[in-house]
Amino acid sequence: MKFWPSIVGCSLALAPLVSAQVSAEVTLDQDQFLPGESLEVGVRITNFSGQTLVLGKEGDWVQFAIEGRNNYIVPSTGEVPVQGEFEVESSTVVTRRVDVAPYFALTRPGRYLVTATVNLKQWDKQLVTRPKTLDVIAGTKLWEQEVGLSTTPGQPPEARKFALQQAIHLKQMKLYVRVTDQTESRVIRVFAIGPLISFSNPEHQIDKSSNLHVLYQTGAKSFNYSVVNPDGRLLVRQTYEYTDTRPGLRVDRDGHIFISGGARRACSDDLPTPAASTNDAKTPKP
């Protein structure tokens, strides 16, 4: 990921004019990330030039840079895919978003600055945004497990590694799932599955399809049940309440994992959606 220096204008002579008429800004939905977590950067273009801007025809209409302490430039591992033509009419604001995490080796915990350079090719000028600050935090690893994926018969299975991590974001503890290859050199996905209370001890099970099942406490009487496949896709998200019994992960005779105890509570963010799901939380087919 690359950082974006402060706006310096298109040229020394026209910098005040262009900066006043068209401006660019980097936006982030959050300012703390774990290494490998999706880092969606927004580029907000404000146009008061009296002309319609046409951007995105070429793949270099915007370029990103990320810088750490002591002028450390985060290496780029590939070109960020940003091509896709769009227009910014006069007196309007348009934001384009892209996940830059897969294209930068952002593995060291610390504070970084993100900047973007917008190329206005119809004017042969550039805009450079002010730096946006973000923090990469290490988190605490609670558990990890290698699993195998089905491959061509006669070939050894491909290995994946699941890990559960906890980290504090905005004074709130969150539980993260991390999916990598066996050596952790390739991060497949890192994402937060929800808030975590300090005394919660997450339960975890791997089913016959190599899916990860996690049950953990989110409140005084509430629990989150999530299922993640080896590609890092969230298959199931459900909420359970502590009643006369505490919810817990169990395995039936056929090897299906389900929730025993407690009571299911339907929520708007359930996966699958409440209309499509049932109270049976057995292993979904990926």
Side-chain angles (χ1 to χ4, degrees):
M1 301 170 23
K2 298 178 180 178
F3 281 102
W4 307 28
S6 57
I7 296 179
V8 297
C10 302
S11 69
L12 293 178
L14 297 179
L17 177 62
V18 175
S19 297
Q21 294 179 348
V22 180
S23 64
E25 178 187 2
V26 168
T27 64
L28 299 172
D29 290 335
Q30 63 187 67
D31 57 9
Q32 286 187 338
F33 302 85
L34 265 64
E37 185 179 358
S38 175
L39 203 171
E40 190 174 84
V41 176
V43 181
R44 180 181 297 159
I45 311 294
T46 303
N47 181 16
F48 287 106
S49 68
Q51 301 179 24
T52 297
L53 296 176
V54 180
L55 300 171
K57 286 184 178 181
E58 297 83 12
D60 63 347
W61 75 268
V62 61
Q63 297 170 309
F64 298 90
I66 299 178
E67 183 179 341
R69 294 181 183 272
N70 301 320
N71 299 319
Y72 169 70
I73 304 299
V74 178
S76 173
T77 59
E79 294 295 328
V80 180
V82 294
Q83 190 167 1
E85 184 175 335
F86 65 98
E87 294 183 349
V88 185
E89 296 181 354
S90 185
S91 300
T92 62
V93 179
V94 173
T95 301
R96 284 291 182 267
R97 299 184 179 276
V98 61
D99 180 12
V100 301
Y103 308 100
F104 292 89
L106 197 64
T107 58
R108 301 180 183 178
R111 176 155 291 186
Y112 295 85
L113 298 175
V114 179
T115 58
T117 301
V118 178
N119 296 303
L120 305 177
K121 294 198 173 182
Q122 66 192 81
W123 294 346
D124 193 25
K125 304 299 178 184
Q126 287 185 332
L127 289 178
V128 185
T129 67
R130 296 183 181 276
K132 193 74 172 179
T133 302
L134 65 89
D135 293 308
V136 175
I137 56 178
T140 302
K141 185 178 291 185
L142 304 177
W143 165 88
E144 65 180 4
Q145 176 66 55
E146 292 183 14
V147 300
L149 301 183
S150 299
T151 55
T152 305
Q155 299 294 324
E158 179 184 349
R160 294 283 171 86
K161 181 181 287 187
F162 284 114
L164 293 178
Q165 296 177 276
Q166 66 179 23
I168 297 177
H169 177 242
L170 298 179
K171 299 182 179 180
Q172 183 182 49
M173 187 78 73
K174 287 189 175 182
L175 184 64
Y176 290 78
V177 171
R178 178 182 177 89
V179 186
T180 66
D181 62 3
Q182 185 177 20
T183 63
E184 300 188 34
S185 60
R186 182 169 70 95
V187 177
I188 296 166
R189 195 181 178 198
V190 178
F191 66 100
I193 55 176
L196 177 72
I197 60 176
S198 59
F199 56 83
S200 179
N201 184 23
E203 299 181 40
H204 39 76
Q205 294 273 6
I206 303 294
D207 67 23
K208 295 187 296 184
S209 299
S210 296
N211 297 318
L212 169 64
H213 297 242
V214 183
L215 178 70
Y216 65 97
Q217 196 165 354
T218 60
K221 292 187 176 182
S222 59
F223 292 76
N224 175 288
Y225 169 57
S226 296
V227 181
V228 181
N229 74 3
D231 291 327
R233 186 164 65 92
L234 184 63
L235 303 177
V236 173
R237 178 173 52 221
Q238 296 175 351
T239 299
Y240 284 79
E241 298 287 348
Y242 195 121
T243 55
D244 294 335
T245 57
R246 182 186 187 279
L249 288 180
R250 300 292 184 269
V251 183
D252 67 15
R253 293 180 179 179
D254 297 324
H256 294 118
I257 298 173
F258 65 100
I259 302 296
S260 174
R264 169 84 184 279
R265 175 166 60 88
C267 296
S268 59
D269 63 347
D270 282 354
L271 289 177
T273 57
S277 63
T278 68
N279 288 333
D280 184 3
K282 291 187 177 182
T283 304
K285 294 182 179 181

